[in-house]
Structures are given as C-alpha cells and as structure tokens.
Amino acid sequence: MMNLTLDQLLKEYPFATSYFEQNKLDIAGYGDKTFEEYLEHFTEEEVEDQAIEKDKLLANLPIYIEQMKAFLGLEKDNQVLSLTILAGHDKSGVSEGFSELTVETSQIISIVGPTGSGKSRLLADIEWAAQNDTPTGRSILINGKKPDNKWRFSSNNRLVAQLSQNMNFVMDLTVEDFLRMHAVSRLVEDPQSVIDRIILAANNLAGEKFDLTTPVTSLSGGQSRALMIADTAILSSSPIVLIDEIENAGIDRKKALDLLVSSDKIVLMATHDPLLALMADRRIIIKNGGISKVIDTSEEEKVLLEELEKMDSLIQTARQELRKGSALSAKTLEMGI
C-alpha cells in the first residue's frame, strides 16, 4: 500500500484521512505523490519546527490502516457466509435431535418452544460462539470452521447484533444525534446519506411515524425497535442478528425481516408468533433445554401462512382504526386486507 499515491490510498482507504488530520499533515495538492514522497517535500527547518518524525509516520500508517480495517470489519477473512450449530445435549444429558445445522446469509431461522424451554440459551450459545464450553455442550462454527478468538472476545469484531422486545434509550439525544454518533464511529464517508436511509427504513416499519428531531427517550416501544432494526440492517457490521420475541413490538414484522435479510444478514429469531415462525426457511424446536428437531417450512405451510397473514392484516387494521377513535365496520376491515 505504501507504493500507492495519496489519491489512490484515500480512494481505497477513505478513513486514512483521519491519520493525516491527527498528525496535522496537509496533503492537499500532493495527490499524485506517495506518502514517502510527500514527506520528502518538508525542509529541514519545517521538520524541526513541526517535530515531524518521518520514519515513525511511515511505519505507523500501514499499522493504522490494518487496525481500522479490523475495526470496520473490512478484512476479507472477517466475512461471515455461514453459521453452523453442532449438536450438544438437553438438560437431562440426552443428545439433541440433529447432528448439525448450517445457516447461510439471507436465511431466516425461527426458534420455537415453551417459555423456559431454552430458546434464550441457544441465542446465548450463538452470541458467544460456544465451543463445547456452555451448559448445552454445543459448538458453533463460522464459515465451517472453529471461529477465531476475535469473534469471541473482541469488542471490535462483534459477531452478533441482538434485538429484543425491551429496548429503552437512556441517552439525552435526538434520533439524528444518535444515528450520527453511530455513523461517525463506523467512519462512514457520507453520514447524512446513511442517516436519511435509516430514518426512512425505520418509518417504513413503525406504526407511528417519527423524525430526526425526536428525542430517543420519547420514542415508543415500537418506534425504538423500528429504529434499531433499521440501524442494525443498514449500519451495523455484525453479520448475525438474533431476535428475541419481537412479535409485540408494534412494527411491521414482515418488512423488518425483509430488510434484515436484504442486508445479507443471518437471522435467527426466538418467537411464539406463528406468522414469524412460518416466515422462516426452517424452524428449530426446543424442548427441555435442547434442540429436539429442525423442520423445513413446507409448501403447505407457506400456503397457510398467506391465510394467516390475511387474518393478521384484519387484526392490525382493527387495532389502528380503534386507536384513531374510528368505529369499525366490515367495509373498513375489507379495505385493510
């Protein structure tokens, strides 16, 4: 990379601008020079007056770029294409009812089972990339291999983003301030463009619209979850999204899932909602702390899902009309289908 001109370097690594700014180096007008050639233009007096350490600056630039690539998830070996769950055992020590399950990007897996059956334990095993070191004895593979420790222990390489029913903000920020803070931390080139995309996507999910000037502490539960889902899909570098029971979140569930999978995420969701369960490509059945079986969503179930969606649309329309203070009628409900 040190043989690249400054223009070529910034085109490939736009975040390198921060390196030059932090070291108070004005590279304007030197785009056709390499970094070493740029440093040679300083006179001996300038080097002494500005305390320029050429060797140190040259040595630290590639280190800075590699660190930022790791932080931003830009390294090729950071790309997650598949997640594999290797079977463990249930609370009684009985082997789980499958050998392994592989999920690829843009796929959705639902996790169903009674309350307390172990759905959250499975999500936790995935989040921490378990290696036969949790109560279930499960192991997680990334891209078919034992994951590097960076996936397990590094705060910069977050494997998983979690979305749950209970999302409450405590920061005294507007929606725009919150999104800008996240975008800047990710060193996004055009933060405003990303912010505009996120607020548009969030309002497409939320039952009640909100804007960039709204304080995050004033958002309703549904608005908060819509914002975080849009933020996760568009800005988060985490390749895997774990969703814990968002059926009562007050958002358009189908649009939320479509948005996440369109961003090449692997989505696993624990749910009691039959619509969400059947929207998935497959579903994991949890009993007594273990995975009892894995079921592919059948063609018949997909047909039934269409009927369930019509029923759900009726309920959603009725809920919205009642909220507005309207009187319900058969005609009103028909228009909502």
Side-chain angles (χ1 to χ4, degrees), residues 208-330:
E208 305 167 82
K209 306 297 182 185
F210 59 99
D211 59 37
L212 292 173
T213 63
T214 306
V216 292
T217 52
S218 298
L219 296 175
S220 68
Q223 290 171 329
S224 297
R225 283 177 281 276
L227 178 62
M228 292 310 299
I229 287 170
D231 179 82
T232 297
I234 295 171
L235 194 52
S236 173
S237 65
S238 299
I240 299 169
V241 180
L242 304 182
I243 303 176
D244 197 358
E245 299 184 13
I246 62 164
E247 45 261 41
N248 299 316
I251 60 172
D252 189 312
R253 296 158 293 181
K254 189 175 189 304
K255 288 181 180 178
L257 293 179
D258 288 343
L259 178 62
L260 289 167
V261 297
S262 69
S263 304
D264 294 328
K265 305 286 187 185
I266 294 172
V267 180
L268 296 100
M269 55 179 176
T271 183
H272 295 293
D273 186 333
L275 272 75
L276 288 175
L278 294 179
M279 283 178 191
D281 301 287
R282 283 172 284 178
R283 60 186 181 275
I284 293 172
I285 314 301
I286 304 285
K287 292 181 180 178
N288 192 34
I291 297 174
S292 66
K293 55 184 174 180
V294 179
I295 302 175
D296 291 328
T297 303
S298 69
E299 290 303 317
E300 183 178 3
E301 286 175 329
K302 292 176 182 177
V303 173
L304 290 172
L305 175 60
E306 293 179 6
E307 296 302 314
L308 289 172
E309 287 176 330
K310 291 177 182 178
M311 297 178 196
D312 185 63
S313 179
L314 281 174
I315 294 171
Q316 296 298 330
T317 299
R319 180 180 288 116
Q320 291 172 11
E321 291 301 314
L322 289 171
R323 280 177 175 173
K324 292 188 296 185
S326 303
L328 292 184
S329 68

Side-chain angles (χ1 to χ4, degrees), residues 18-31:
S18 298
Y19 181 81
F20 303 125
E21 291 175 350
Q22 290 166 15
N23 288 285
K24 299 179 180 178
L25 299 173
D26 183 3
I27 61 173
Y30 293 90

Side-chain angles (χ1 to χ4, degrees), residues 180-201:
R180 189 173 300 280
M181 183 173 65
H182 190 190
V184 169
S185 75
R186 303 297 308 163
L187 298 184
V188 171
E189 278 192 74
D190 184 3
Q192 191 59 51
S193 175
V194 172
I195 290 168
D196 291 341
R197 285 176 58 204
I198 292 174
I199 191 69
L200 181 65

Side-chain angles (χ1 to χ4, degrees), residues 4 8 81 98 107 120 125 154 183 196 200 231 296 305 311:
L4 299 176
Q8 292 170 332
L81 300 175
F98 76 113
Q107 286 190 331
S120 295
D125 284 352
S154 170
D196 291 341
L200 181 65
D231 179 82
D296 291 328
L305 175 60
M311 297 178 196

